[in-house]
Amino acid sequence: MNSDLLEIIADETQLSEKVNELAEKISSDYNGKSFVAVGILKGSVIFFADLIRKLDLCKFDFMAASSYGSSAVSSGKINIKKDLSEDVTGKDVLIVEDILDTGNTMYLLRDYIMSKGAKSVKICVLFDKPSRREKSITADYTGFTIDDLFIVGYGLDYDEKYRNLPYVGVLKPEIYS
Ligand code: IMP
Ligand code: MG
């Protein structure tokens, strides 16, 4: 285990089992209908790569975005750093994200993709921290629900580090405080 971590909360086997479980649910819900999977950069890339290889009939695309302005203000703005390259008009879209925290980014992203004319937008997240939520938003597919802990690995970073760890662990508080 990386020495900056307190403990591992999902090892490679647990991650791969969870990805299979999510892929089965998604495949059974879309039931042979084609859809566009949109991976949110950069945190979702490893999860995204593992997940889409288990899905049928999906095209894929990426976006990079963050929310800005005070999170207490309900009309937050979205800062799009990389836009969609596919036309999603009339398409079913599945957003794939690493973690749902306050929900501010996802709330705006979902609206943004709907405003591009998508027929439907569903959300798949590997981790969820519901106790941190500031916007009323729930994912359609959730891997692990966790307490208010700062986690890294399998795409998730702190200051762009740890994304390449093949497992997910809790970062020692002294590293980020
Ligand atoms: P929010 O839901 O708008 O607050 O933002 C979610 C984003 O914050 C995620 O996509 C991550 O990039 C980042 N984030 C939130 N919690 C964590 C964590 O525990 N580890 C690493 N990144 C996190
Ligand atoms: Mg992210």
Side-chain angles (χ1 to χ4, degrees), residues 93-134:
V93 172
L94 178 69
I95 302 176
V96 179
E97 176 61 308
D98 53 0
I99 187 165
L100 198 50
D101 187 30
T102 65
N104 287 309
T105 317
M106 190 56 79
Y107 190 84
L108 296 167
L109 265 177
R110 185 179 58 182
D111 270 10
Y112 178 79
I113 295 175
M114 282 309 282
S115 79
K116 293 279 169 190
K119 184 163 91 187
S120 73
V121 180
K122 285 191 175 189
I123 298 164
C124 173
V125 294
L126 184 57
F127 292 94
D128 186 13
K129 291 198 261 193
S131 64
R132 297 252 311 152
R133 202 75 90 252
E134 293 172 7

Side-chain angles (χ1 to χ4, degrees), residues 24-61:
E24 271 172 33
K25 273 194 213 140
I26 293 166
S27 297
S28 108
D29 288 357
Y30 284 92
N31 193 21
K33 271 195 305 177
S34 66
F35 62 99
V36 184
V38 175
I40 308 306
L41 300 172
K42 304 175 198 169
S44 81
V45 289
I46 297 175
F47 172 45
F48 187 81
D50 284 345
L51 182 73
I52 56 170
R53 281 180 290 173
K54 311 270 173 185
L55 300 175
D56 281 338
L57 290 172
C58 95
K59 291 185 174 173
F60 67 79
D61 202 354

